[in-house]
Every structure is written in structure tokens, then in C-alpha cells.
Amino acid sequence: MFVPSVTNPIGDFVRNLVPQVTAYLPVAFQSETLDSVVAFLINAVICIIAVCAVNIGSAPILIYMERKVCAHVQCRLGPMRLGWHGTIQTIADVLKMLFKEVYAPSGADKLMFYTAPMIVLIAPFMVCALIPFSKDLVVADVSMGIPLIIAVNGFGVLGILLGGWSSNNKYSLLGALRSGAQIISYEISFAMILLFVVMISGSTNLMDITMSQQGTVFDWWIFKIPVLGFIAFILFFISSTAEMNRAPFDIAEAEQELTGGYHTEYNGTPFAMFYLAEYIALVTNSALATTCFLGGFHAPCIGIAAVDNVLNMVPGLVWFFGKVFFMIWCYMMVRWTFVRPRVDQLMDFEWKFLLPVNLVLLTAGAAWIAISG
Amino acid sequence: MTGMLPPGFRIQRETNTEEFFINMGPQHPSTHGALRLALRMDGETIVELVPHFGYIHRGMEKQAESMSYLQYIALSDRQDYLTAIQNNLGVVIALEKGMNIGVPEKAEYIRVMLQELGRIASHLVFFACFGGDLGGQTCLLYGFKEREMIHDILEEVTGSRLTTNFFRPGGSRYDVPDTFIPRVKAFLDHMDDTMKDYERFLSKNIIVLERSKGIGILSKEDAIAYGCSGPVLRASGVNFDVRRANPYSIYDSFDFEVPVTYNGDCYDRYTVRIAEIHESMKILRQCIDRFPTEGPWRAKEKPVRLPVGRYYSEIETAKGLYATYVVAATTGEKPYRIHTRGPSFPHIAALNKMVQGHKISDLVTILATLDPVIPEIDR
């Protein structure tokens, strides 16, 4: 019989469910191959439901949060009218966006134009499936987690390039080209920092990386290695901001220059998909930062038994999302504080500053491993 | 459309595959109104720029010919709406020259104070748009926050927030209320603190420095040749301020500096304006100390009909030199012709010189530091 790679509640659930489902099928087809096919399909359905629930559920919350954070940074109140403190505002906006007429500009390559937002959505969804949300809650616990994330994360740029090119608009094309250059450049730093994490934790599996940070706060990778961990965290923060096309590195959208960049011509549902992808990327990058540097789902224990027992009583899922939302809050504060660098300065920053620093960091990490054994 | 462009601007598709044409505006978020810029680009680098005006042309100068002088004061609000109160004064001073009417001391103080408040308001909008155009949306809101306080004061004094229509030959429409001086004083105290925050927000920010230093350099000679004025001219190293060079109202009795910087780049234009906010606050404080509470607030003489002649006035608005030329062909209430010389038009004319070889992002920065108001160009 097909055995899922992890022993967790989801795995047990699937294992119980498979015989029940196969019982309904004709006897002539009963075989071990059928079992594994059914198990695979059930797994896929569960994965899709779980990932969709997390992603699509978090998007309205994040949009509401962004509006409120932005408003309070700017001495405003933000949405206040619809629902308590404007809580229903986002849902109303989402509904409005979904019911809008969808049309493509004349001269646009229709097939590419409508495929692009879907491609953009794939990448963050796939990354989300790899993140261990809790000790027993990981959709796909693959051994090559980090390389897969690096591979998949760069996939979104294809959608952005396609969307910009197929819009038949020069601003869109400029935005797409900027975005292509930017994401491909920052991908290198992004991958190198993850490589640093792999090096110090000794595993490419995200669950193993999380488990290697078990213990107190000072066992998290951000603090465990003196200074280096913190530098790596800051570098990860910078390169993931650029990777997500988020302000201050949002030169691909650059409202003031390109009137919206690659999604200038999009409206209605396709635009909502770009928007959704942006926010899911925010969740996945924050989750990645949490997993790699902030101890994943582990409670922030401080080494005093009485306090730690209380902290450990809170489920890991809560700690995980608490940390994720803290990271999201950091990304938002940065977005609403800094101004945007120019496109060539952004490239200079990557190739002349971030990359050399990363190389030094990798070397220093290797030295630290050699010294500490 | 290509027929409207200069000869070198037409892109030969067969011979030149490197360059392409981009149309920026009139509905672009950073052109500060209905301004259209035709750009010839090489990748992201601007080769040539041609500005197009006239999208909101309302024929103000023609309208003025069938209006009384007092009606034209209201129309001058609608030119540069950010410095409406200053435009009022420019028109009024031209009329006063013909009417030979004296302005009482209190009226002069009211004028100077409202002028400087208007200057601070306009420069705050510049601060907001400069930050906003660089990508810092938060700046946009911060600048407008303090501007609202000025507008509250203006509302109390003039009855309207933006289009003030306040000054009249020989004084103003109303006397200022008793709360005016305390409110201005409270505002100045508040500004002292907030300006520190604002300057910390942009002036020393490394990204702002990177994006504005050495960008859009306008040489001293070019600035004079194009007829630039105001902060743009002073950032290029020319010490010219109408308040000093040709004092109007009672500006000769105040102690203030004319900030001048010498690089002529975007950062200098920014620092000049920030320094001017401080100088305006200095003038306002002197006004508060010397403000005459007693005395008439408008001239005893009724404004008489403007005699035949040509009358010219020039004042320093927040944007630069604002001149009004009135030709009265008959003694009456209507002008034969009124011409306004606004500061924004020469600045946009110099834009092509400043942006060549820069990126499209720099164009946005340069345009923000020129601080143009398109209704004032189109009129």
C-alpha cells in the first residue's frame, strides 16, 4: 500500500480513508496500484483545500491589515464605515472586483493575457504547501524543500513578464522588464541566504530546519550564531522584499512612474489574481523567514521552566502565525516608511553590495561551523 | 499626432529600432495635472522630451476682458490654486498702482502674514508630492496634514480654504478675527516640531539622497536663459527674490534670508524650499510681534475706477515670479487686456534640458522638484 512520507494526522487520515473509498470501486480493479492512486488523489484534494484555505483566507485579512497599518502610519484611520472598524470593507471590495467586467485591451495577446495571472498565482501556492505550520501540519514534507522553494519562487516572474508583454502597453512592458531583471538578480541573494540556513542547520527539509531550532529563543537561527544569524536575517528580509516586488523595491509597479507597471491593463478577476499573488507571497515569505530564522512553530521559551510550561501550552500553530504576522507587520512598516530606489540603483545594490556580503556571510558561516564543530 | 512633434522627434521605424516613443500623460499620476509629455526613449533612458500644454485651458485672460477688475481677482485664484492668496495680491498691487490708493499698516501686515502662510502651504504640498513621487506615499499624507492647519486659518480669515479671493485694492475684504494671531502662533510652534520630523524623514534619507543628488542639473546660465524664477532659480545659484530685489508691500522692513544653493540639482531645489519654509516662519514671527491690533484694516478711500494706463506688478509667490500686466484703455471697470506671467511655464520649458540622459524615474523626481501647477500654465 502507498505510504505517505510522513507520519502525521493527515497521513493517518488518508491511510484510513483509502480502504473506505476503494471499497466502492469494482472488485476487478482492486489492487495495490489503485490504492496508491486513490491515496494520491485524496492527498491532492486535501492539499488543495488546505493551501487554498490558508492563502485565500489570509488575503482579505492582510489587505485589511495593510490598510490599517498604512493608515495609522499616515495619521489616518483607514476604513471605518463598513462593519466594526471597517472589517467588512475588504470583503465588499473583493466582491466588487470579482463582479467587474473582464476585458483585454485591443491588440493584446488574449491567451497570454489571461494565462499570466494564473502563472503568477502558482508560485506562492506551491511554496505554501511546503511550509510546516505546526508539528503535524505540513502538506508536502519533501526532503528537498529549500531547493524546491528556490526553484518555484522564481516561477512568478514568468507570469509578470507574460502579463507585461501581452498587454500591448509600453508602461506594462517597461514594468515587466524591470521586474524580470530585478527578480532574477535578487533570486541569487535569496537563494544564497537559504543556502546559509541549509549549511548551518544541515538539512534541506523545512521540518528538519524547524526542529534544529528546538529549545529556547537563543536556539533560533537568528540568535544561535552570534551576529551572523542576525545579518543573514536582515539580508533575507531585504532580498525577499525585492523578490516579492514590494515597496520600497516595487519598481515593477512604480505607480508614480509606470502607472501600475505590468498590471496597468488588468482589471476585474485577473487583476484580483495579481493582487492575491502579491499577498500570498507576503505570507509565504514571512512563513519562510519564520521557519528559517524565528524557530518556526516553537514557542519562544526563555529557559525558565515555569514560564516555558505556560508558553508551551499554546499550540504551535498559534506561535507560527503569530510570528508570521509579526514579519508581515515588519514588511508593511518598511513599505510605508521608505522611498523607492531607482532601477539601476537597485541592481547596483544587489550586485555590488548584497552579493559580496552574502559570499562573505557564507564563508563566515562555514568558519563558524568549523570552529564550533 | 506625429505632425505636432518637432522633426527630430519622428521615429524612423526602419532605421532606428533602438528608440521608442512613450506618451506620458495627460492622465498620468505624476504629471501633477493634465500635462502631457512626449518622450523619446532609449530603453529606460530619456533622449528627448516635448511638453504639451492646453488640456485645461480656460481662456482666463480673454475672460478678464469682459470682467470687472474685482471679478478678475476671483479668477486669479483659479490659476495657481496652491498659491491662490498670493495671486490675489499680485493682481491687487497692479490695480493699486493705478488707483493711487494708500494701504493702512494693519492691512499690510495681514497681507504679509497670509502671503507667508500661503508660501508654507505651497511648499508643504511640494514636500508631500516630492516624497510621494519618489515612492514614499506616507510623505504625501504628512505634508497635507500641516497644510490643513493653514487652510483652517485661511478659512477662518477669508471664508474659503483654497480659492481665497481675499485682497482688495486698499486692503482686504474683511478684518482678521481676534483668534487669528493666537492661531498662527500655535501653528508656528507646532511647525517647529514637525519640520524636524519631516526633515529627518527625507533630508537625510540615503535613498532620497541617491535619487536626487546630481539629478536634473540646471546650470546658472540655463536657469536665467529659460526665465526660471523662485526656488528653481535660487537652487541654481542666482540670488534673486522679488521680496528683496524689488520689495512690495512691507517686505523691506523684515529680517529674513534668501536661501541660495549652487548645484542646481533636485536635492538643492528641495533644500531651498525647506529653508524657505523656515524663513517664512521667521517672517511670521516678526509679524506676530509687531502686529498692530488697532487701526484701520482698509483704506478710507473707496476704490476708484482705474484710469487709462498700463500697470505692472510683480510678486514672489511660492513657485516664483508672478507678474500681472494690466492695460486699461478706457477709464472704467473693465480692462482692455490683462496678462499674467506665471512661474511654472518657464520651468516646464527647461524640463527637456534637465532630463536628457536620465531615467524615467528621474523625470518624475525632476518634475516634482520643479513643482509646476498646470492650471497656471494653461490658464
Side-chain angles (χ1 to χ4, degrees):
Chain A
M1 191 185 152
F2 172 78
V3 182
S5 62
V6 244
T7 51
N8 60 26
I10 300 177
D12 295 336
F13 176 71
V14 173
R15 246 171 256 120
N16 292 331
L17 205 63
V18 168
Q20 292 171 27
V21 174
T22 47
Y24 288 102
L25 297 171
V27 187
F29 294 144
Q30 296 283 4
S31 70
E32 222 161 79
T33 331
L34 181 77
D35 278 0
S36 55
V37 168
V38 168
F40 178 77
L41 289 178
I42 292 174
N43 244 348
V45 169
I46 292 174
C47 292
I48 290 167
I49 291 172
V51 171
C52 286
V54 168
N55 287 338
I56 297 171
S58 61
I61 299 171
L62 286 184
I63 294 170
Y64 179 72
M65 181 173 162
E66 176 111 271
R67 282 172 161 183
K68 279 293 184 190
V69 169
C70 151
H72 286 279
V73 167
Q74 298 174 349
C75 316
R76 297 186 286 126
L77 288 175
M80 286 297 282
R81 297 296 171 92
L82 209 58
W84 183 79
H85 280 244
T87 31
I88 317 176
Q89 184 70 51
T90 319
I91 296 161
D93 287 345
V94 168
L95 282 179
K96 180 211 103 184
M97 201 167 262
L98 293 182
F99 284 116
K100 276 181 108 169
E101 184 193 354
V102 176
Y103 61 86
S106 65
D109 188 328
K110 293 255 165 52
L111 177 69
M112 293 300 147
F113 187 76
Y114 291 124
T115 318
M118 298 180 205
I119 295 175
V120 172
L121 259 186
I122 291 173
F125 265 82
M126 279 176 79
V127 174
C128 201
L130 303 170
I131 305 285
F133 291 101
S134 178
K135 202 162 193 166
D136 312 315
L137 209 65
V138 50
V139 174
D141 191 16
V142 295
S143 56
M144 294 295 275
I146 295 280
L148 190 57
I149 284 174
I150 294 168
V152 165
N153 228 353
F155 198 56
V157 71
L158 180 64
I160 291 175
L161 275 175
L162 268 185
W165 173 77
S166 65
S167 296
N168 191 27
N169 178 327
K170 284 165 189 165
Y171 286 111
S172 300
L173 188 62
L174 272 181
L177 290 177
R178 281 180 174 193
S179 159
Q182 178 194 349
I183 295 186
I184 289 167
S185 305
Y186 276 83
E187 193 105 291
I188 299 169
S189 309
F190 188 74
M192 276 196 158
I193 310 237
L194 289 181
L195 201 63
F196 174 79
V197 176
V198 169
M199 196 170 74
I200 52 176
S201 63
S203 170
T204 53
N205 182 315
L206 285 166
M207 186 62 98
D208 286 352
I209 291 174
T210 312
M211 295 317 278
S212 69
Q213 304 174 59
Q214 211 163 11
T216 61
V217 172
F218 302 102
D219 286 320
W220 296 357
W221 286 122
I222 183 172
F223 301 123
K224 200 167 182 177
I225 313 176
V227 188
L228 291 184
F230 196 72
I231 294 172
F233 179 70
I234 296 292
L235 291 181
F236 179 87
F237 193 81
I238 294 170
S239 53
S240 62
T241 311
E243 186 78 8
M244 283 188 286
N245 267 331
R246 247 184 105 71
F249 300 133
D250 62 341
I251 55 161
E253 288 173 39
E255 195 202 325
Q256 287 79 12
E257 295 147 29
L258 302 178
T259 67
Y262 57 89
H263 58 54
T264 306
E265 296 288 353
Y266 281 91
N267 68 335
T269 320
F271 175 71
M273 285 164 91
F274 274 121
Y275 210 62
L276 187 66
E278 201 175 296
Y279 280 100
I280 298 172
L282 187 59
V283 178
T284 50
N285 278 290
S286 303
L288 209 55
T290 307
T291 312
C292 293
F293 292 100
L294 300 179
F297 47 77
H298 292 302
C301 302
I302 47 168
I304 301 165
V307 181
D308 289 356
N309 286 337
V310 176
L311 291 176
N312 278 326
M313 275 157 66
V314 180
L317 200 65
V318 174
W319 284 123
F320 187 83
F321 276 102
K323 289 171 192 175
V324 164
F325 273 93
F326 172 72
M327 284 301 298
I328 290 172
W329 181 77
C330 290
Y331 281 121
M332 284 177 180
M333 290 302 282
V334 167
R335 172 171 184 173
W336 296 110
T337 306
F338 286 102
V339 300
R340 180 190 307 123
R342 207 169 56 215
V343 58
D344 55 327
Q345 290 165 352
L346 198 68
M347 292 299 141
D348 282 359
F349 183 65
E350 158 66 21
W351 293 102
K352 294 179 186 166
F353 177 75
L354 271 190
L355 199 58
V357 171
N358 266 330
L359 290 170
V360 171
L361 186 75
L362 270 181
T363 322
W368 182 81
I369 293 172
I371 293 164
S372 67
Chain B
M1 186 186 59
T2 43
M4 291 155 63
L5 298 173
F9 216 83
R10 221 159 285 157
I11 293 155
Q12 308 292 328
R13 284 204 180 277
E14 296 77 22
T15 54
N16 195 345
T17 51
E18 297 286 313
E19 292 179 352
F20 68 107
F21 168 85
I22 273 197
N23 182 39
M24 192 169 176
Q27 305 294 340
H28 190 278
S30 322
T31 50
H32 292 230
L35 169 68
R36 174 168 157 242
L37 302 170
L39 305 171
R40 193 145 63 94
M41 307 275 293
D42 179 8
E44 282 232 8
T45 312
I46 296 165
V47 181
E48 199 181 352
L49 176 148
V50 177
H52 293 251
F53 303 120
Y55 285 90
I56 43 168
H57 182 67
R58 291 152 294 172
M60 277 190 180
E61 288 172 6
K62 189 70 190 165
Q63 280 183 55
E65 292 169 19
S66 55
M67 277 181 175
S68 72
Y69 294 110
L70 292 189
Q71 282 175 316
Y72 185 69
I73 297 173
L75 208 56
S76 71
D77 288 338
R78 275 84 180 165
Q79 293 178 352
D80 186 347
Y81 48 78
L82 295 180
T83 58
I85 194 121
Q86 296 178 327
N87 299 353
N88 288 168
L89 189 67
V91 176
V92 165
I93 286 179
L95 299 181
E96 278 169 358
K97 282 188 180 167
M99 290 174 180
N100 195 17
I101 202 165
V103 184
E105 197 194 4
K106 192 178 179 187
E108 294 282 26
Y109 273 101
I110 294 170
R111 283 182 178 186
V112 168
M113 286 183 81
L114 292 180
Q115 290 289 294
E116 296 310 316
L117 281 175
R119 194 181 313 279
I120 295 175
S122 174
H123 284 338
L124 281 174
V125 173
F126 159 76
F127 172 87
C129 291
F130 180 63
D133 282 350
L134 286 175
Q137 293 278 316
T138 307
C139 289
L140 196 67
L141 274 292
Y142 278 13
F144 276 81
K145 190 161 66 71
E146 262 59 45
R147 179 175 175 256
E148 281 301 299
M149 300 174 71
I150 295 177
H151 279 187
D152 287 343
I153 296 173
L154 285 182
E155 187 183 8
E156 198 182 15
V157 176
T158 70
S160 72
R161 297 170 71 81
L162 198 67
T163 50
T164 46
N165 185 15
F166 187 58
F167 299 124
R168 292 286 180 271
S172 50
R173 264 162 79 200
Y174 319 112
D175 193 5
V176 288
D178 295 339
T179 50
F180 177 60
I181 295 294
R183 278 188 85 159
V184 173
K185 207 183 270 178
F187 169 73
L188 289 177
D189 294 341
H190 176 75
M191 264 312 261
D192 275 342
D193 295 340
T194 40
M195 280 313 288
K196 278 179 203 137
D197 287 349
Y198 289 180
E199 285 177 55
R200 206 172 53 192
F201 206 63
L202 281 188
S203 302
K204 299 285 185 292
N205 186 327
I206 179 112
I207 305 176
V208 175
L209 293 179
E210 285 282 313
R211 282 205 53 186
S212 58
K213 279 212 164 158
I215 302 295
I217 292 175
L218 186 67
S219 69
K220 190 175 177 176
E221 291 73 28
D222 282 340
I224 296 171
Y226 275 103
C228 297
S229 55
V232 177
L233 184 67
R234 290 193 283 275
S236 296
V238 184
N239 190 344
F240 175 77
D241 188 324
V242 184
R243 292 177 292 174
R244 263 290 145 71
N246 186 10
Y248 54 94
S249 194
I250 46 165
Y251 271 110
D252 45 0
S253 66
F254 290 106
D255 170 37
F256 64 97
E257 303 284 317
V258 177
V260 180
T261 50
Y262 296 92
N263 296 325
D265 58 5
C266 287
Y267 187 70
D268 275 15
R269 288 193 279 275
Y270 165 77
T271 45
V272 161
R273 287 197 175 90
I274 294 295
E276 278 189 17
I277 294 181
H278 288 294
E279 293 307 320
S280 290
M281 284 159 64
K282 216 155 93 182
I283 295 176
L284 279 170
R285 284 195 196 287
Q286 292 172 35
C287 281
I288 289 171
D289 291 341
R290 306 193 327 221
F291 191 77
T293 43
E294 299 299 317
W297 49 273
R298 67 175 168 194
K300 285 251 169 57
E301 306 95 343
K302 283 262 160 63
V304 289
R305 293 184 169 191
L306 200 64
V308 175
R310 292 149 188 265
Y311 310 102
Y312 176 76
S313 78
E314 54 182 30
I315 62 161
E316 180 83 16
T317 68
K319 304 288 192 303
L321 187 138
Y322 178 91
T324 315
Y325 187 53
V326 181
V327 180
T330 50
T331 307
E333 288 186 338
K334 285 177 189 168
Y336 175 74
R337 174 91 165 86
I338 288 187
H339 178 68
T340 304
R341 186 263 183 216
S344 294
F345 182 76
H347 295 166
I348 298 293
L351 190 58
N352 183 29
K353 196 106 187 172
M354 296 155 84
V355 296
Q356 280 178 10
H358 286 308
K359 300 269 186 293
I360 195 168
S361 318
D362 296 329
L363 166 62
V364 173
T365 319
I366 295 166
L367 198 59
T369 54
L370 290 180
D371 199 13
V373 170
I374 309 305
E376 189 250 294
I377 298 173
D378 284 347
R379 285 200 286 280

